[in-house]
């Protein structure tokens, strides 16, 4: 072994030992307390809170403890792992208003989060998985402090006065660990002709707890639910307020970056298609008809089929449509840019009114 190779080996070994020392020090500070833990995140960033939840799920030894993570976010729409965001909310409106849209790693439906919304993540060993028991803990906690009528229905939602939904659930089951999320408390895009197998949310009549508990606050809910989770435990001091960071939890930033990525939020959308028919009287009052079918796979347009009663003229613009839309991300700015290019370049073929109408039909089916 050469001197250079030995030096490199010693350097790598030293870096590994330093990381291991830091890792052990951090884990000793945060996770070696015996008994169950309650973490309350001080971050209002949806992506950081979801990343911290996933970090705990992947790294904690849940054979020896269960964890309750509580958190709230700035205004955000959160969808389930297997959902189509375009069917659950007005994606373009969210983007234009600088709101966040996040995709959980767990299943379940779409929910709206803001700072008046408490999220409870029960992170446990797989052998302890019981969604009803987690919800019952929340019901017992709230009922112990306030005189309200809460119950759990067959869909495992928490109902107020037997009718109004105040919390739902979503779960992620691993080989050895589980997460059950209970958000205590959407307007979809007006897309026509959508065909999708994605999991769609069920609309429910909802109500805020503050309507029945005047003066209730986020802090009071955190307090009562957190102590109910630790009830009967010897270590009631295992109640930690924490601002998650990479320095505290190595690997957290990587998870955060993955959850923020367009490919995760939109690229993971289950395949779907759009189909619409259009008709319009143009030159010489002749009715022109067009049927457009668009397939979207992994968040990108994969195929466009167009049928018309004026094929000879359409065939001139068809190559432009295929060239500029196939492979394009199903995203407002990308789609608008492609349509503008098609409209501009199609002017060279004449039939400007007809080609402009075709582009207009494409714009409508793509909701741009």
């Amino acid at each position: 072994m050469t001197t250079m190779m030995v030096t490199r080996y010693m350097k790598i070994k030293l870096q590994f030992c330093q990381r291991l020392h830091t890792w052990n020090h951090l884990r000793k500070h945060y996770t070696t307390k015996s008994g169950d833990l309650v973490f309350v995140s001080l971050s209002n960033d949806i992506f950081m809170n979801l990343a911290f939840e996933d970090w705990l799920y992947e790294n904690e030894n849940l054979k020896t403890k269960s964890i309750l993570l509580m958190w709230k976010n700035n205004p955000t729409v959160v969808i389930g792992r297997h959902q189509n965001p375009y069917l659950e909310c007005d994606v373009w409106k969210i983007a234009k208003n600088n709101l966040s849209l996040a995709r959980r790693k767990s299943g379940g439906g779409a929910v709206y989060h803001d700072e008046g919304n408490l999220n409870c993540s029960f992170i446990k060993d797989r052998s302890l998985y019981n969604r009803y028991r987690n919800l019952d803990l929340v019901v017992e906690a709230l009922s112990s402090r306030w005189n309200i009528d809460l119950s759990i229905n067959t869909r495992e939602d928490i109902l107020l006065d037997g009718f109004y939904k105040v919390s739902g659930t979503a779960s992620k089951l691993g080989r050895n660990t589980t997460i059950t999320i209970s958000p205590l408390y959407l307007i979809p895009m007006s897309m026509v002709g959508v065909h999708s197998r994605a999991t769609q949310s069920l609309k429910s009549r909802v109500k805020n707890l503050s309507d029945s508990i005047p003066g209730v606050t986020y802090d009071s809910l955190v307090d009562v639910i957190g102590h109910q989770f630790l009830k009967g435990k010897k270590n009631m001091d295992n109640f930690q307020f924490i601002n998650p960071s990479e320095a505290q939890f190595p690997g957290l930033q990587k998870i955060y970056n993955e959850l923020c990525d367009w490919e995760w939020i939109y690229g993971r959308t289950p395949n779907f298609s759009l189909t619409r028919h259009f008709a319009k009287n143009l030159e010489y009052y002749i009715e022109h008809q067009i049927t457009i079918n668009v397939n979207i796979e992994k968040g990108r347009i994969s195929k466009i089929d167009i049928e018309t009663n004026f094929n000879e003229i359409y065939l001139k613009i068809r190559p432009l449509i295929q060239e500029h839309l196939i492979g394009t991300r199903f995203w407002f700015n990308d789609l608008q840019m492609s349509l503008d290019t098609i409209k501009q370049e199609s002017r060279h073929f004449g039939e400007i009114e007809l080609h402009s109408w075709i582009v207009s039909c494409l714009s409508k089916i793509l909701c741009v």
Side-chain angles (χ1 to χ4, degrees):
M1 186 179 291
T2 65
T3 302
M4 184 179 294
M5 291 177 66
V6 171
T7 302
R8 185 180 178 187
Y9 170 76
M10 294 302 294
K11 184 177 180 180
I12 293 173
K13 185 175 181 180
L14 177 62
Q15 290 175 340
F16 174 77
C17 291
Q18 289 173 337
R19 290 175 182 173
L20 184 63
H21 173 75
T22 302
W23 174 258
N24 288 335
H25 173 74
L26 290 170
R27 286 187 63 80
K28 181 178 179 181
H29 180 73
Y30 285 102
T31 64
T32 56
K33 287 186 177 183
S34 60
D36 297 339
L37 292 172
V38 172
F39 284 122
V40 182
S41 174
L42 298 177
S43 173
N44 287 349
D45 182 343
I46 177 60
F47 300 106
M48 180 56 70
N49 287 324
L50 288 178
F52 185 41
E53 174 190 76
D54 196 58
W55 191 98
L56 294 172
Y57 173 85
E58 295 290 348
N59 292 278
E60 281 291 355
N61 180 8
L62 300 174
K63 293 290 185 183
T64 61
K65 65 172 72 72
S66 294
I67 298 172
L68 169 60
L69 170 64
M70 290 185 282
W71 39 288
K72 62 179 178 179
N73 302 306
N74 295 322
T76 306
V77 173
V78 185
I79 62 173
R81 183 186 185 99
H82 307 294
Q83 290 197 294
N84 183 330
Y86 307 101
L87 296 181
E88 298 299 329
C89 55
D90 191 331
V91 172
W92 304 157
K93 189 173 183 179
I94 289 174
K96 289 176 182 177
N97 285 279
N98 295 316
L99 301 177
S100 296
L101 191 149
R103 182 186 295 275
R104 296 188 302 269
K105 290 193 174 184
S106 59
V111 289
Y112 173 74
H113 290 187
D114 59 25
E115 293 190 16
N117 169 225
L118 169 64
N119 299 279
C120 302
S121 299
F122 296 88
I123 307 171
K124 300 182 177 183
D125 183 76
R126 175 89 185 223
S127 63
L128 300 177
Y129 175 70
N130 189 317
R131 290 210 298 188
Y132 186 92
R133 188 178 301 166
N134 295 332
L135 291 173
D136 192 50
L137 182 149
V138 174
V139 170
E140 286 187 14
L142 271 59
S143 299
S144 69
R145 180 169 297 188
W146 296 287
N147 183 26
I148 52 175
D149 177 18
L150 294 177
S151 58
I152 304 170
N153 67 9
T154 55
R155 290 190 49 80
E156 296 183 320
D157 300 321
I158 297 179
L159 301 182
L160 177 65
D161 298 329
F163 185 70
Y164 296 102
K165 180 177 175 179
V166 294
S167 177
T169 56
S171 296
K172 176 183 177 181
L173 305 182
R175 178 176 297 178
N176 300 310
T177 54
T178 67
I179 297 178
T180 301
I181 307 159
S182 302
L184 287 168
Y185 328 115
L186 301 167
I187 304 174
M189 292 173 66
S190 53
M191 300 184 76
V192 179
V194 184
H195 305 280
S196 173
R197 294 184 178 181
T199 303
Q200 289 190 249
S201 301
L202 294 176
K203 295 178 175 60
S204 304
R205 292 183 179 272
V206 299
K207 196 172 186 179
N208 294 322
L209 283 171
S210 57
D211 294 334
S212 296
I213 312 175
V216 67
T217 64
Y218 171 82
D219 291 336
S220 63
L221 289 174
V222 163
D223 178 68
V224 69
I225 295 174
H227 282 90
Q228 181 71 25
F229 184 78
L230 296 175
K231 187 177 181 180
K233 310 294 192 302
K234 294 181 180 180
N235 295 315
M236 293 299 287
D237 60 332
N238 285 11
F239 200 121
Q240 302 180 38
F241 290 82
I242 194 162
N243 198 357
S245 69
E246 174 69 17
Q248 299 165 310
F249 303 96
L252 182 66
Q253 189 63 44
K254 180 181 178 182
I255 304 173
Y256 178 89
N257 292 341
E258 290 172 351
L259 291 170
C260 290
D261 189 49
W262 191 95
E263 296 297 341
W264 168 255
I265 301 171
Y266 300 100
R268 290 295 295 266
T269 299
N271 299 345
F272 67 104
S273 64
L274 306 168
T275 303
R276 288 191 66 178
H277 178 78
F278 302 91
K280 185 175 182 179
N281 291 331
L282 294 173
E283 52 199 33
Y284 305 112
Y285 300 99
I286 298 173
E287 184 179 66
H288 291 71
Q289 298 184 24
I290 184 170
T291 300
I292 304 175
N293 182 76
V294 182
N295 292 346
I296 296 93
E297 298 181 5
K298 297 181 179 179
R300 289 171 168 78
I301 295 177
S302 62
K303 185 178 180 182
I304 299 179
D305 289 323
I306 298 180
E307 297 180 2
T308 73
N309 63 349
F310 50 93
N311 281 334
E312 186 175 336
I313 299 175
Y314 161 66
L315 287 175
K316 296 179 182 179
I317 194 176
R318 183 178 185 277
L320 283 180
I321 294 173
Q322 299 293 324
E323 176 186 353
H324 293 292
L325 283 179
I326 300 298
T328 299
R329 295 194 311 173
F330 200 76
W331 188 247
F332 182 86
N333 293 339
D334 298 40
L335 295 171
Q336 187 64 67
M337 188 179 302
S338 294
L339 292 175
D340 288 345
T341 301
I342 293 170
K343 187 173 183 178
Q344 184 65 33
E345 294 187 8
S346 68
R347 292 178 180 274
H348 302 301
F349 303 130
E351 303 288 351
I352 294 177
E353 183 181 13
L354 180 57
H355 290 151
S356 294
W357 178 65
I358 294 173
V359 174
S360 173
C361 294
L362 286 167
S363 179
K364 289 177 181 178
I365 193 172
L366 298 175
C367 299
V368 176

